[in-house]
Amino acid sequence: MKFRRSGRLVDMTYYLLQHPHALVPLTFFSDQYQSAKSSISEDLTIIKQTFEQRGIGSLLTVPGAAGGVKFIPRIGASEAREIIDELCSLMAKPERLLPGGYLYLTDILGNPSIVNQIGRLFASVFADRKIDLVMTVATKGIPVAYAVANQLDVPVVIVRRDSKVTEGPTVSINYVSGSSKRIQTMVLSKRSLKTGSNVLIIDDFMKAGGTINGMVSMLEEFNANLAGIGVLVESEGVEERLVDEYISVVKLTDVDVKEKQIEVSDGNYFRFLNKTN
Amino acid sequence: MKFRRSGRLVDMTYYLLQHPHALVPLTFFSDQYQSAKSSISEDLTIIKQTFEQRGIGSLLTVPGAAGGVKFIPRIGASEAREIIDELCSLMAKPERLLPGGYLYLTDILGNPSIVNQIGRLFASVFADRKIDLVMTVATKGIPVAYAVANQLDVPVVIVRRDSKVTEGPTVSINYVSGSSKRIQTMVLSKRSLKTGSNVLIIDDFMKAGGTINGMVSMLEEFNANLAGIGVLVESEGVEERLVDEYISVVKLTDVDVKEKQIEVSDGNYFRFLNKTN
């Protein structure tokens, strides 16, 4: 199929957005559109400038015979600020308060466009780490984990609370929930995680960090490496945090069940977002 | 910010892909790029042609003062054929067989790019129905449900097997599992579904259809309407199917646990995909 520049720009933009973090050889595009490599290079320069100017991401050029281009989704600091402010105001609504000081987040986590924004936040901040897969625990962390994995172009593994026949043989560990101090179990399908994998742990909510700590123990069981931890909401006022380095998007600073008041502020996200973004 | 046509094409493509099924007024783009509406119209014509030529989707133009453009993701029949063939050969691998004739699908459902393709398949075939949200049941259907919802630009609600404090008040129903004939329970947060909503049910696997039937009963409990049912894998050889109209991507026609053989073929998908796609 022969394409003019304008059509190529539309189609290449589509292709690159669908394949983040993948190395695409220039010949792939030049064959596809029956265009000279020099024209493709010019197209890519236009796409790169637009992506950077609009805070969509960066386009890396890898030189040489095995080279090509790679689209790395990156969010600009000002857009990250807007998204996080919006999340804070969404979460601070008093009708979210549930008995026991829990927050109703189901509507936020059920909205794909919000979840995608959260995915872009994490994918940007973890873009330069070596990550082979994203791990989360059922159920609420799943959409965020997929949104991140989507942008990093890696698979997702889901740790479960119970063992299911459709998972095949599993590895099970016990861990202590940080806030309730109860012993709990989590299981992971044996086939789903290879030795030596670099794993990004993503979850929706962290209090003392017992569940995340459980996932870290699970990684040890599989001889896999921890590449990072990202949580959407961290809860402050925890006596002893079981997890050291993590990146949080928002922080629940105060929950007053009696007065029906919630205070939400930034997490530590901006400490990790590259200032040059 | 002033943009040349080439930069506008890249940025508009990005924007439209991020906002499927949303009506975008032409003034949104002309303000954004400080360009005349006539230039924006020409840009959109180029994008529309490329989207159609490449099987990305269609660009609807809604005329009038309240008009604009709408990107509708639609898959071409030949690409749908490729994706479904690929899924069939992935699923037919004998090492997927688990005791009891179950299939290990965790790796397939853990791969975001495969899941996105499945999402595009369903979003294309359900593109013209009125859908307000996508419903699924925890855990394995969740990624597919989000992938579909993403392309339809609607929220997801997740029915659970157990009630969690973080969901707030819930409605619980009992249903009979079609294959095991056991009575089971499913719960849904009361806040998550409004009366009169048009709901697309998505799940990863259907045997007799008991679970999907349970979700249909749940819709009745909320006075919501069934807009459609989509399953990734349907299992043949079921005595009595509890569900009438559904769209399946692939069909498990024969599972021989002793011989370690699986036969997988097309589901009924192509009967529903518009021939003009």
Side-chain angles (χ1 to χ4, degrees):
Chain A
M1 237 184 271
K2 192 85 182 148
F3 270 78
R4 301 180 51 149
R5 160 145 302 148
S6 50
R8 286 200 309 262
L9 286 173
V10 172
D11 196 56
M12 287 166 83
T13 300
Y14 174 75
Y15 188 88
L16 291 166
L17 292 172
Q18 297 289 311
H19 299 87
H21 284 268
L23 183 68
V24 188
L26 258 59
T27 47
F28 173 83
F29 288 127
S30 58
D31 290 353
Q32 189 94 163
Y33 310 125
Q34 297 169 24
S35 305
K37 273 200 188 179
S38 57
S39 308
I40 300 293
S41 284
E42 287 167 27
D43 297 343
L44 289 169
T45 305
I46 295 167
I47 295 175
K48 182 184 164 75
Q49 283 169 352
T50 312
F51 277 12
E52 285 170 0
Q53 202 175 349
R54 303 294 284 174
I56 298 169
S58 56
L59 213 59
L60 285 186
T61 310
V62 181
V69 283
K70 215 186 246 193
F71 163 54
I72 313 287
R74 282 186 201 277
I75 208 160
S78 62
E79 198 190 351
R81 165 55 54 213
E82 272 173 39
I83 295 172
I84 294 179
D85 284 351
E86 174 71 20
L87 280 170
C88 287
S89 73
L90 265 175
M91 287 187 193
K93 291 190 178 147
E95 61 267 31
R96 296 201 172 276
L97 256 186
L98 296 171
Y102 286 94
L103 272 200
Y104 181 84
L105 295 177
T106 306
D107 57 333
I108 294 177
L109 295 172
N111 183 320
S113 76
I114 298 179
V115 169
N116 283 341
Q117 302 288 45
I118 300 168
R120 286 181 63 217
L121 287 174
F122 281 125
S124 300
V125 81
F126 288 117
D128 301 318
R129 301 202 195 178
K130 179 150 179 40
I131 292 165
D132 301 311
L133 51 85
V134 171
M135 173 185 270
T136 191
V137 67
T139 310
K140 294 254 268 294
I142 298 176
V144 179
Y146 271 84
V148 179
N150 230 321
Q151 302 275 327
L152 293 176
D153 193 34
V154 296
V156 178
V157 295
I158 301 171
V159 175
R160 304 177 64 116
R161 310 284 183 173
D162 54 338
S163 172
K164 285 269 277 189
V165 61
T166 51
E167 300 280 337
T170 54
V171 171
S172 151
I173 63 155
N174 293 317
Y175 68 99
V176 180
S177 147
S179 27
S180 68
K181 304 278 183 214
R182 278 188 317 177
I183 291 192
Q184 306 207 29
T185 303
M186 52 170 75
V187 298
L188 182 61
S189 166
K190 273 190 84 169
R191 297 191 196 184
S192 62
L193 188 50
K194 282 197 194 80
T195 301
S197 304
N198 300 297
V199 179
L200 172 63
I201 292 178
I202 293 286
D203 209 358
D204 62 316
F205 199 85
M206 179 175 75
K207 263 183 151 165
T211 307
I212 284 174
N213 215 22
M215 285 192 266
V216 174
S217 310
M218 188 63 97
L219 292 186
E220 287 160 13
E221 220 45 61
F222 280 83
N223 288 312
N225 311 313
L226 179 64
I229 297 170
V231 293
L232 174 59
V233 185
E234 66 164 311
S235 173
E236 218 187 37
V238 173
E239 280 173 34
E240 192 191 2
R241 181 87 68 195
L242 301 169
V243 172
D244 288 331
E245 203 242 44
Y246 60 88
I247 300 183
S248 64
V249 174
V250 304
K251 190 193 271 176
L252 215 55
T253 48
D254 197 26
V255 174
D256 188 331
V257 180
K258 225 172 160 187
E259 297 290 325
K260 290 226 166 203
Q261 280 208 334
I262 311 169
E263 267 178 45
V264 185
S265 67
D266 288 6
N268 63 16
Y269 184 81
F270 284 103
R271 267 191 264 154
F272 293 87
L273 188 69
N274 197 321
K275 295 300 176 208
T276 60
N277 270 17
Chain B
M1 237 183 272
K2 192 87 180 146
F3 271 76
R4 301 178 53 147
R5 162 145 301 148
S6 51
R8 287 200 308 262
L9 286 173
V10 172
D11 196 56
M12 286 166 83
T13 299
Y14 174 75
Y15 188 87
L16 291 166
L17 292 173
Q18 298 289 311
H19 298 88
H21 284 268
L23 183 68
V24 188
L26 259 57
T27 47
F28 173 82
F29 288 126
S30 58
D31 290 354
Q32 190 93 164
Y33 311 123
Q34 296 168 27
S35 304
K37 272 199 188 180
S38 57
S39 309
I40 298 294
S41 286
E42 287 166 28
D43 298 342
L44 288 169
T45 305
I46 295 167
I47 295 175
K48 181 184 165 78
Q49 283 169 352
T50 313
F51 277 13
E52 286 170 0
Q53 201 175 346
R54 303 293 284 174
I56 298 169
S58 56
L59 214 60
L60 286 185
T61 310
V62 182
V69 284
K70 215 186 247 192
F71 163 53
I72 313 289
R74 281 187 203 277
I75 209 160
S78 61
E79 197 189 350
R81 165 55 56 211
E82 273 171 40
I83 295 172
I84 294 179
D85 284 350
E86 173 71 19
L87 280 170
C88 287
S89 70
L90 265 175
M91 286 188 193
K93 293 194 175 141
E95 61 266 30
R96 298 201 171 275
L97 256 187
L98 296 171
Y102 286 95
L103 273 199
Y104 181 84
L105 296 177
T106 308
D107 56 333
I108 295 176
L109 296 172
N111 182 320
S113 76
I114 298 180
V115 169
N116 283 342
Q117 302 288 46
I118 301 168
R120 286 181 62 217
L121 287 174
F122 282 126
S124 300
V125 83
F126 288 118
D128 302 317
R129 302 203 194 177
K130 183 158 174 34
I131 292 165
D132 300 312
L133 53 86
V134 172
M135 172 185 272
T136 191
V137 67
T139 307
K140 294 253 270 295
I142 299 177
V144 180
Y146 271 85
V148 179
N150 230 321
Q151 302 276 327
L152 294 175
D153 193 34
V154 297
V156 178
V157 296
I158 300 171
V159 175
R160 303 176 64 115
R161 309 282 183 173
D162 55 337
S163 173
K164 286 270 278 188
V165 60
T166 51
E167 299 279 336
T170 55
V171 172
S172 152
I173 63 155
N174 295 315
Y175 69 100
V176 179
S177 149
S179 27
S180 69
K181 305 277 182 214
R182 279 187 317 175
I183 292 192
Q184 307 207 29
T185 304
M186 52 171 74
V187 299
L188 181 62
S189 166
K190 271 189 83 167
R191 295 191 198 182
S192 61
L193 188 52
K194 282 199 193 79
T195 301
S197 303
N198 300 297
V199 179
L200 171 62
I201 291 178
I202 293 286
D203 210 356
D204 60 319
F205 199 85
M206 178 174 77
K207 263 181 151 168
T211 307
I212 285 174
N213 215 22
M215 285 193 265
V216 174
S217 309
M218 187 65 94
L219 292 185
E220 286 161 13
E221 219 47 60
F222 280 84
N223 288 312
N225 312 315
L226 178 64
I229 296 171
V231 293
L232 174 59
V233 185
E234 66 163 310
S235 173
E236 217 187 39
V238 172
E239 282 174 32
E240 192 191 3
R241 181 86 68 194
L242 301 168
V243 172
D244 288 330
E245 201 241 44
Y246 60 89
I247 299 183
S248 64
V249 175
V250 303
K251 190 193 271 176
L252 214 55
T253 48
D254 198 25
V255 174
D256 189 329
V257 180
K258 227 174 159 186
E259 297 291 325
K260 289 226 167 205
Q261 281 209 331
I262 311 169
E263 265 177 45
V264 186
S265 66
D266 288 6
N268 63 16
Y269 184 81
F270 285 104
R271 265 191 265 153
F272 294 87
L273 188 68
N274 198 319
K275 296 299 175 209
T276 61
N277 268 19

